[in-house]
């Protein structure tokens, strides 16, 4: 038996709110948010910030390592051109239905490598930026 109820098309905003609430600020959230066109936000995902790529051995792909010099230049660029917020703040904006303004960015780190604290944190602090760290246990 067919339903008499006609399903209303979802608005883009309601889909964004639903996506944000379903991913709960996980690494998946950062990835999902970065893939949603037109949100006005950019999400940059990092793994390792280290100059000694030889340490990685079998643990991570060398392509996941960003040198401190490159990371510093990227954070300088980001700080000059974007308003940087944490992923929880970005997800909350989407959940609440707030307009996500252009020029908003989030920086994330997956895997919780020690060099995130040793190398990335001082660079982030120097540029006055925040980041969201996903630490595995």
């Amino acid at each position: 038996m067919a339903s008499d109820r006609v399903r209303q098309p979802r608005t883009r905003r309601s889909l964004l709110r639903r996506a944000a609430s379903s991913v709960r600020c996980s690494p998946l959230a950062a990835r999902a948010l970065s893939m949603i066109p037109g949100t006005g936000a950019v999400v940059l995902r990092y793994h390792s910030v280290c100059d000694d790529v030889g340490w990685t051995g079998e643990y991570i792909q060398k392509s996941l390592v960003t040198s401190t010099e490159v990371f510093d230049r990227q954070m300088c660029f980001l700080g000059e051109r974007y308003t940087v917020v944490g992923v929880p703040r970005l997800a909350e904006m989407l959940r609440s239905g707030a307009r996500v303004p252009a020029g908003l960015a989030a920086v994330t780190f997956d895997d919780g490598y020690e060099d995130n604290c040793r190398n990335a944190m001082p660079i982030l602090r120097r540029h006055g930026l925040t980041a969201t760290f996903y630490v595995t246990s």
Side-chain angles (χ1 to χ4, degrees), residues 3-8:
S3 170
D4 291 334
R5 185 174 155 212
V6 176
R7 189 173 199 169
Q8 295 296 318

Side-chain angles (χ1 to χ4, degrees), residues 72-114:
D72 187 54
R73 285 196 321 248
Q74 290 173 349
M75 294 305 102
C76 180
F77 177 89
L78 200 64
E80 290 174 351
R81 292 168 178 82
Y82 290 84
T83 300
V84 179
V85 298
V87 170
R89 175 70 185 121
L90 186 55
E92 179 54 37
M93 291 174 78
L94 290 170
R95 267 201 246 23
S96 71
R99 183 180 147 307
V100 178
L104 204 63
V107 177
T108 69
F109 288 86
D110 289 351
D111 307 318
Y113 290 110
E114 182 270 337

Side-chain angles (χ1 to χ4, degrees), residues 10 45 106 112:
R10 291 187 175 153
R45 183 180 53 179

Side-chain angles (χ1 to χ4, degrees), residues 33-80:
L33 292 171
S34 68
M35 296 171 67
I36 299 171
T39 62
V42 174
V43 178
L44 292 97
R45 183 180 53 179
Y46 294 90
H47 291 269
S48 176
V49 176
C50 184
D51 291 324
D52 181 15
V53 291
W55 78 267
T56 59
E58 299 291 321
Y59 296 106
I60 65 172
Q61 298 172 2
K62 294 190 184 348
S63 64
L64 299 179
V65 179
T66 303
S67 74
T68 56
E69 178 186 350
V70 169
F71 183 72
D72 187 54
R73 285 196 321 248
Q74 290 173 349
M75 294 305 102
C76 180
F77 177 89
L78 200 64
E80 290 174 351

